[in-house]
Amino acid sequence: MHLELPIELHAGHAYLTIDDRLWVLDTGSPVTFGEGSHHPLEPQLPFVAKQGDVDATVVSEFLGVRIAGVVGSDFLNRHDHQIDLTSGHYAAYDRHFSAGRDYPLEFPERLHGIPTLKASIGGQEGEFIFDTGAQLSYHLGPPPTDYAPGETIWDFWHGCGSFQTQTFMKEVTFAQDAVPLRFGTPPPALADFLNTLGLHGVIG
């Protein structure tokens, strides 16, 4: 496969344009779902109208952007991807390529295809869901020391619906690279989900 599409970032979410319609690029969703009768990028893959109780209309209402659906990890895990948000260019390949830093992802069986990566926050390393569909990152427990408090915003998570969360900025280390990220405080349902799976949070 060699696929090229326009991509744009809006309010922390990445959108692909497929046949003049917007689709959220979301490694945090194990399946691709939305409007239409078949998968928007690989017709041979399974395709559903919704994940649980969440469909394209629900996601559109939360985002404030009309979308056709969500491209999930069922497609994303099959290919290598090049994302250049500055130029608005997205490409998917069957071959492996490397451009810049490499951060290894793992695909635990217990997460059904959702990827994780190792990260260190406040000197403590843990396993985090890698979720391109999330506008915020999440960290279990109280904020690390020396964090920069932020505003309270609305967010959305499958199984939790919409909720308000207090945000904070904190530097996260991936391998040797330190990157400042905006975190939220996970609601109880999300915290329980992460704890049950032995995860430390979400990197969005």
Side-chain angles (χ1 to χ4, degrees):
M1 168 178 280
H2 181 190
L3 172 72
E4 297 189 36
L5 293 167
I7 189 169
E8 60 187 275
L9 187 68
H10 176 67
H13 299 280
Y15 299 89
L16 294 174
T17 298
I18 306 171
D19 295 331
D20 298 321
R21 306 187 73 189
L22 295 177
W23 292 74
V24 178
L25 185 70
D26 187 3
T27 56
S29 174
V31 298
T32 297
F33 65 91
E35 299 170 356
S37 59
H38 59 272
H39 196 286
L41 297 176
E42 287 193 276
Q44 73 273 22
L45 290 179
F47 182 70
V48 294
K50 58 184 179 178
Q51 181 187 2
D53 295 328
V54 177
D55 59 12
T57 299
V58 172
V59 179
S60 296
E61 289 175 352
F62 170 73
L63 296 175
V65 176
R66 183 72 177 91
I67 67 164
V70 171
V71 176
S73 59
D74 55 346
F75 169 80
L76 299 173
N77 292 353
R78 292 165 56 88
H79 308 286
D80 269 22
H81 308 271
Q82 186 176 32
I83 299 172
D84 187 341
L85 295 171
T86 302
S87 65
H89 178 260
Y90 164 87
Y93 303 89
D94 284 332
R95 62 180 175 83
H96 173 73
F97 68 92
S98 178
R101 300 286 192 180
D102 287 337
Y103 304 113
L105 298 178
E106 298 181 7
F107 299 88
E109 185 175 344
R110 67 188 189 279
L111 291 181
H112 307 289
I114 295 175
T116 65
L117 80 170
K118 293 287 180 23
S120 179
I121 302 175
Q124 294 188 339
E125 186 179 69
E127 185 181 16
F128 292 76
I129 289 176
F130 176 57
D131 187 356
T132 59
Q135 66 171 334
L136 292 176
S137 297
Y138 284 94
H139 174 265
L140 281 180
T145 58
D146 301 326
Y147 71 93
E151 61 186 334
T152 298
I153 69 169
W154 283 96
D155 202 5
F156 178 90
W157 186 267
H158 296 299
C160 302
S162 296
F163 57 90
Q164 283 189 301
T165 184
Q166 174 68 47
T167 65
F168 64 92
M169 293 293 296
K170 183 64 181 175
E171 205 169 68
V172 181
T173 302
F174 307 100
Q176 303 301 316
D177 299 316
V179 180
L181 292 179
R182 184 169 65 154
F183 284 83
T185 302
L190 176 53
D192 289 346
F193 169 77
L194 295 169
N195 270 315
T196 299
L197 294 171
L199 298 168
H200 287 72
V202 177
I203 297 295

